[in-house]
Structures are given as structure tokens and as C-alpha cells.
Amino acid sequence: MLFSNRRLRVYTNTDVSGCEYGAALKNVIAIAAGVCDGLGYGDNTKGALLTRGLAEITRLGVAMGGRRETFYGLTGMGT
């Protein structure tokens, strides 16, 4: 609450490892989405990449100790 105001909202999460893995793995998927754009692939291809990518980073993150629901929030889906 100390850092939040009407212009900035700070979110907290007790799943530290899930947040760390999700933030790092999400960036790999984002780079791949950029490659799709650069190669001229369409929205369906990028949508498939994002959908499967989220499923795979969730599976990997849970195997490494994160909680599944963490990856379906800002940590995995991003902003």
C-alpha cells in the first residue's frame, strides 16, 4: 500500500519462484512472437504460439515449484 497510488498499482504474490520463472519464460515467448511478426506470419500463427507457449511455460514452471495459477496472471500472460 505504501507504493500504490492512483497512477501506480503494485501487485503482490507469495509464489516467488512462480513469479521469477514466469517473468523469465514469458520473455522467451515474447521474443518468439516478435520473430513471427518479422517473418510475416499471421495472427493465427502468433495466437497459436502464445496459447501453446503459455501452456508450456505453465507446465515447466509448475514442475520447477511454481503454482499453476501464478502463470495465468500478470506473471505468465504479461501486460
Side-chain angles (χ1 to χ4, degrees):
M1 298 303 290
L2 180 66
F3 295 108
S4 295
N5 58 42
R6 65 184 196 144
R7 292 189 186 105
L8 176 68
R9 181 178 296 178
V10 177
Y11 294 92
T12 61
N13 193 326
T14 58
D15 183 13
V16 176
S17 61
C19 288
E20 290 173 345
Y21 294 132
L25 295 170
K26 171 186 66 179
N27 292 333
V28 175
I29 303 302
I31 291 169
V35 170
C36 283
D37 285 341
L39 292 174
Y41 294 143
D43 290 338
N44 287 338
T45 302
K46 191 166 32 172
L49 169 76
L50 295 175
T51 302
R52 286 307 316 154
L54 178 60
E56 295 301 325
I57 69 171
T58 301
R59 185 177 298 156
L60 178 60
V62 168
M64 297 175 78
R67 290 194 317 253
R68 179 174 304 278
E69 58 272 11
T70 300
F71 294 90
Y72 291 112
L74 292 176
T75 296
M77 293 289 287
T79 55

